[in-house]
Amino acid sequence: MLTNAGADAPADHPGWRMPAETEPHERTWMAWPSGGYTLGDSWGEAETARRAWAAVANAIVEFEPVSMIVPPTATAEATRLLSSSVELYFRPLDDAWYRDIGPTFVLGPGGRLGAVDWLFNGWGAQSWARWELDAGAADVAIAAAGATAIRSALTNEGGGIHTDGQGTFLVTETVQLDPGRNPGWVKADVEAELARAVGAKKVIWLPRGLTRDSQTYGTRGHVDLLATFAAPGRLLVHDQTDPEHPDHLVSAQLRDVLAGQTDAAGRALELVDLPAPATLRDAEGWVDYSYINHYVLNGAVLFGSFADPSDEPAAEILGAAYPGREVLSVDARPLFARGGGVHCITQQQPRSAEGVRR
């Protein structure tokens, strides 16, 4: 089943490790929204989307470099709204969720930089998705970073995995075992490929994602709405406290699965609740608003706010979870209305030996 893996890097290359998001970054990669449902049907909707992406990039670039992939047809809008400090690369794209269509960067022995190029098929070949251009979107960052390409036979997205940087990974059964992504794969196949490509030593399987994310236009269960490692041994966990919301049961199931779990080093996991926003619905139905979908960068943590009473308590919890980092927020409602959040549109390139030399 794994015969197509590792086309550019030897399949038995020792020591690839996906660093934790909290480790030092060389830069952040993003992609500019330029078409389809992301921009909507009017100039106003399109401008809202562009400003949402720009707000994230312009906040991050104050702390670390940002490289933005921009379709050539969107050059004027990108240069109008982005800080001049944001580096631009030009390439046609279908979509703008670079966490999912871009590579997952890893480090090898001696700090060598690698980049895993997962197969991508529109979140499980969903009828509304287009991915002909996005299937090659990872190559831009791989080439620019000078990384060793690690080709994978696993259909996967960056939003579908989280790691503590020490070999513990969180995934969901509804993503990696999705028959629309990986027909015929079983858990052992996925775990073997994660071990080869990103250094997984223990994989913790969560049963499903949030309710709206499991419906039309969702990812079918990305983990970056559910839980994330604030530090080795410590997990921030999405907690929907309102019993009216269907995710109240999802949160309970999530906690049941994680309770008593240990990480790759044998440590019992400490679970820290990160309560969901008080807002339960929008015009489309139950929301999947989640403060878990934040991005940790050099010296700061950037989270999505929702003009919600829970925004301030969430900022306090995040500040305690990531001591020494400035806590920043951007309005994430335009992002979630389009199917994702701050974490979904960003992808970290870790600092490597090559990067330090440059």
Side-chain angles (χ1 to χ4, degrees):
M1 181 173 295
L2 303 181
T3 54
N4 293 328
D8 294 280
D12 59 352
H13 186 284
W16 290 123
R17 175 185 74 90
M18 181 180 173
E21 198 170 301
T22 53
E23 296 181 45
H25 298 181
E26 180 74 16
R27 66 182 55 250
T28 294
W29 285 89
M30 297 179 64
W32 187 253
S34 61
Y37 68 93
T38 307
L39 291 188
D41 298 323
S42 69
W43 185 90
E45 291 174 342
E47 187 70 359
T48 296
R50 296 178 190 121
R51 289 186 178 276
W53 261 256
V56 172
N58 293 343
I60 293 172
V61 81
E62 296 296 319
F63 293 85
E64 64 183 62
V66 174
S67 294
M68 180 77 71
I69 302 173
V70 179
T73 56
T75 301
E77 291 83 1
T79 54
R80 173 171 58 88
L81 294 172
L82 290 169
S83 165
S84 60
S85 298
V86 175
E87 180 184 36
L88 304 184
Y89 288 83
F90 297 97
R91 185 193 191 284
L93 293 171
D94 295 302
D95 225 317
W97 309 100
Y98 205 66
R99 174 73 53 177
D100 294 346
I101 65 176
T104 295
F105 286 100
V106 293
L107 296 177
R112 178 184 179 188
L113 184 67
V116 182
D117 184 10
W118 312 105
L119 296 181
F120 178 75
N121 73 344
W123 302 278
Q126 300 205 49
S127 60
W128 50 266
R130 299 292 180 270
W131 60 90
E132 181 179 352
L133 298 173
D134 286 348
D139 291 337
V140 178
I142 293 171
T148 298
I150 305 163
R151 308 297 178 183
S152 179
L154 180 68
T155 301
N156 184 47
E157 304 92 37
I161 58 175
H162 256 318
T163 185
D164 62 355
Q166 298 184 4
T168 314
F169 280 78
L170 302 175
V171 300
T172 55
E173 295 179 9
T174 52
V175 170
Q176 284 78 20
L177 300 183
D178 175 14
R181 288 176 167 95
N182 299 301
W185 288 56
V186 297
K187 288 182 179 180
D189 299 320
V190 175
E191 291 175 4
E193 178 61 352
L194 292 176
R196 183 195 74 88
V198 291
K201 299 175 182 177
K202 178 170 183 177
V203 178
I204 299 174
W205 289 88
L206 306 178
R208 56 158 296 175
L210 297 184
T211 299
R212 182 153 168 177
D213 191 40
S214 303
Q215 297 171 345
T216 305
Y217 304 113
T219 70
R220 298 179 179 163
H222 271 185
V223 74
D224 64 0
L225 292 168
L226 296 172
T228 187
F229 288 99
R234 184 178 302 121
L235 270 177
L236 295 174
V237 180
H238 180 74
D239 184 24
Q240 176 52 259
T241 60
D242 195 315
E244 291 188 14
H245 198 299
D247 286 339
H248 181 67
L249 294 177
V250 176
S251 289
Q253 187 179 28
L254 175 64
R255 181 168 275 279
D256 286 345
V257 171
L258 291 171
Q261 284 278 358
T262 58
D263 63 14
R267 289 175 293 235
L269 294 179
E270 174 192 357
L271 306 184
V272 179
D273 289 334
L274 188 50
T279 303
L280 300 182
R281 302 180 68 95
D282 65 7
E284 302 300 323
W286 300 109
V287 299
D288 55 359
Y289 292 171
S290 173
Y291 297 116
I292 295 294
N293 197 275
H294 57 266
Y295 181 54
V296 185
L297 55 143
N298 294 342
V301 54
L302 180 64
F303 80 100
S305 59
F306 303 95
D308 189 276
S310 298
D311 289 348
E312 186 172 342
E316 294 175 358
I317 293 171
L318 291 170
Y322 302 104
R325 297 180 193 265
E326 187 173 344
V327 179
L328 312 169
S329 70
V330 294
D331 186 353
R333 290 172 295 175
L335 295 172
F336 273 79
R338 289 160 173 80
V342 170
H343 195 256
C344 306
I345 67 173
T346 53
Q347 179 61 272
Q348 69 274 8
Q349 178 187 330
R351 191 171 297 163
S352 64
E354 293 95 334
V356 171
R357 284 197 294 272
R358 283 198 298 271

